[in-house]
Amino acid sequence: MDQVKILISGANGKMGHAVAAAISGREDCVAYCGVDLYTQQYSDFPIYEKLADVPEKPDVIIDFSNPALLDDLLDYCLINGVPCVFATTGYSAEQIAKIKQAAASIPVFFSFNMSLGINLLAQLAKKAVSILGGQFDIEIVEKHHNQKLDAPSGTAIMLADAINEECGEQYHYVYDRHSKRQKREAKEIGMHAIRGGTIVGEHDIIFAGHDEVITLSHSAASKEVFAVGAVNAAAFLAGQEAGLYDMSALIALQ
């Protein structure tokens, strides 16, 4: 089987380095090149400043760059018919809509979190709420390092959306409880963000009922889990038809 040639967008960032390391341990894919404003080479593949400088189109792109670069990335992928794994965080609702629109023309893999474990957590949460119904209050607590800009995390929103979808979109989200002096409503999901130190990522989904509490938890010990997930997604995406894919497609293969 031919190796999947992967272009790493944001190659000189922390996640770009992690993706390169994850690819290096595999036989089914290879880091073809990288794109980054900082073109210092740290491995055996070249790094270009712009996508337009890449001499030959790759089989798939893994993007861990910056939301500001989305339009250029989408233009390149659509013009050249290149599948893309969008793993960058902090996209606006408008940008997410553009990514989903592109899936009509090319294979697109999009998830707020590339960890297989966190996506399994979402599936377990959907199962839990289908059984517990409206008898339990739902709260989500997420913890990240002190350099993270967005709050709540995209992953926390993804988990809440998975639960809400399972419940027929009955819930609304509450982010700022200290400003409300009122009892908790039954149809709300509270989301709480903690920032400190070097926490990579921790998410707890709390189902609080009458005299009992059920907590589903996931903790990431390093950024490598996200890089491995993104490379798994790229290897999967390279052989797919145009469409929108997420981690549930990989979970189904396990």
Side-chain angles (χ1 to χ4, degrees), residues 130-250:
S130 71
I131 295 172
L132 301 175
Q135 303 176 61
F136 285 67
D137 295 325
I138 305 169
E139 299 281 310
I140 297 175
V141 180
E142 55 97 346
K143 307 172 187 176
H144 285 88
H145 54 85
N146 58 22
Q147 300 300 300
K148 186 171 179 60
L149 299 179
D150 55 318
S153 67
T155 300
I157 295 172
M158 179 191 78
L159 294 171
D161 286 348
I163 293 169
N164 207 12
E165 179 184 353
E166 184 68 23
C167 297
E169 307 295 336
Q170 297 180 40
Y171 288 91
H172 64 279
Y173 306 156
V174 175
Y175 308 100
D176 190 17
R177 200 180 301 283
H178 86 277
S179 64
K180 296 186 176 184
R181 293 191 56 80
Q182 64 187 51
K183 292 182 179 180
R184 186 191 196 282
E185 297 177 14
K187 295 300 183 181
E188 70 178 49
I189 297 176
M191 289 204 267
H192 314 275
I194 295 171
R195 298 289 176 267
T198 58
I199 301 171
V200 174
E202 298 180 12
H203 293 83
D204 295 330
I205 307 173
I206 302 167
F207 296 89
H210 183 71
D211 291 342
E212 61 180 333
V213 176
I214 301 166
T215 302
L216 301 177
S217 299
H218 178 271
S219 178
S222 77
K223 294 180 181 294
E224 291 179 9
V225 296
F226 311 121
V228 169
V231 176
N232 285 338
F236 162 82
L237 195 65
Q240 303 303 317
E241 299 293 330
L244 183 64
Y245 302 89
D246 60 24
M247 291 300 289
S248 63
L250 293 187

Side-chain angles (χ1 to χ4, degrees), residues 6-239:
I6 298 175
L7 183 155
I8 306 171
S9 176
N12 258 316
K14 290 181 180 179
M15 286 308 305
H17 280 254
V19 168
I23 294 172
S24 68
R26 299 179 59 136
E27 297 182 354
D28 59 342
C29 54
V30 61
Y32 163 62
C33 69
V35 171
D36 201 293
L37 290 176
Y38 304 100
T39 57
Q40 182 176 358
Q41 188 172 335
Y42 56 87
S43 189
D44 57 356
F45 59 87
I47 298 177
Y48 303 98
E49 185 176 348
K50 302 184 297 294
L51 283 165
D53 297 334
V54 177
E56 182 181 341
K57 74 175 186 178
D59 294 323
V60 63
I61 294 174
I62 295 177
D63 178 51
F64 270 111
S65 58
N66 188 292
L69 303 177
L70 177 63
D71 287 346
D72 287 343
L73 181 59
L74 282 175
D75 286 345
Y76 178 87
C77 290
L78 289 169
I79 291 171
N80 293 283
V82 177
C84 189
V85 177
F86 291 94
T88 300
T89 60
Y91 287 124
S92 67
E94 181 183 359
Q95 289 177 313
I96 292 172
K98 288 182 179 180
I99 291 171
K100 292 182 176 179
Q101 184 179 7
S105 302
I106 58 172
V108 167
F109 197 104
F110 177 72
S111 176
F112 284 106
N113 191 302
M114 286 292 162
S115 160
L116 190 63
I118 202 73
N119 284 273
L120 176 59
L121 179 68
Q123 297 299 316
L124 294 174
K126 292 174 73 170
K127 180 64 175 178
V129 78
S130 71
I131 295 172
L132 301 175
Q135 303 176 61
F136 285 67
D137 295 325
I138 305 169
E139 299 281 310
I140 297 175
V141 180
E142 55 97 346
K143 307 172 187 176
H144 285 88
H145 54 85
N146 58 22
Q147 300 300 300
K148 186 171 179 60
L149 299 179
D150 55 318
S153 67
T155 300
I157 295 172
M158 179 191 78
L159 294 171
D161 286 348
I163 293 169
N164 207 12
E165 179 184 353
E166 184 68 23
C167 297
E169 307 295 336
Q170 297 180 40
Y171 288 91
H172 64 279
Y173 306 156
V174 175
Y175 308 100
D176 190 17
R177 200 180 301 283
H178 86 277
S179 64
K180 296 186 176 184
R181 293 191 56 80
Q182 64 187 51
K183 292 182 179 180
R184 186 191 196 282
E185 297 177 14
K187 295 300 183 181
E188 70 178 49
I189 297 176
M191 289 204 267
H192 314 275
I194 295 171
R195 298 289 176 267
T198 58
I199 301 171
V200 174
E202 298 180 12
H203 293 83
D204 295 330
I205 307 173
I206 302 167
F207 296 89
H210 183 71
D211 291 342
E212 61 180 333
V213 176
I214 301 166
T215 302
L216 301 177
S217 299
H218 178 271
S219 178
S222 77
K223 294 180 181 294
E224 291 179 9
V225 296
F226 311 121
V228 169
V231 176
N232 285 338
F236 162 82
L237 195 65

